[in-house]
Amino acid sequence: MNHTWWQWQGDTLLLRLKLQPKASRDKLGEPLGDRLKVHVTAPPVDGAANQRLIRLVSKHCGVARSRVELVSGATSREKTLAIEAPQRLEAPLDVCGQDHTQDTNSMYTP
């Protein structure tokens, strides 16, 4: 299957995101091309939006914030996150777990 906005690398889930800071509420949106749109209330100042994003994603994946890493895009709206061994995948991330054991292709090959 072709999943352009998410990919498994071993037990780590990689998410390609498009961030919308200063939104009315924090939420995971719909896929937008090769990225998942994410809305956060925090402004893009002093890393506040990135921290809010990490908090939101960690909550949807059932992991501590320390297990979510901002891999790329610290100063961009286009970001890549790595989630170490997510415990659950709430919508819309639930599609990421449907073929986890069968998905061996990675957009980030070592």
Side-chain angles (χ1 to χ4, degrees), residues 36-103:
L36 179 69
K37 182 101 181 222
V38 180
H39 307 265
V40 295
T41 56
V45 177
D46 297 329
N50 289 338
Q51 290 304 312
R52 192 64 147 190
L53 171 64
I54 289 170
R55 177 181 287 173
L56 178 65
V57 170
S58 68
K59 178 182 169 188
H60 276 74
C61 293
V63 297
R65 289 186 297 246
S66 62
R67 290 178 40 192
V68 179
E69 177 186 359
L70 181 60
V71 176
S72 67
T75 59
S76 170
R77 288 186 182 208
E78 294 188 347
K79 302 181 182 295
T80 301
L81 293 182
I83 300 97
E84 179 187 334
Q87 298 300 300
R88 68 175 181 269
L89 296 170
E90 295 179 3
L93 301 179
D94 54 341
V95 299
C96 303
Q98 290 178 350
D99 62 354
H100 172 210
T101 58
Q102 299 169 357
D103 195 355

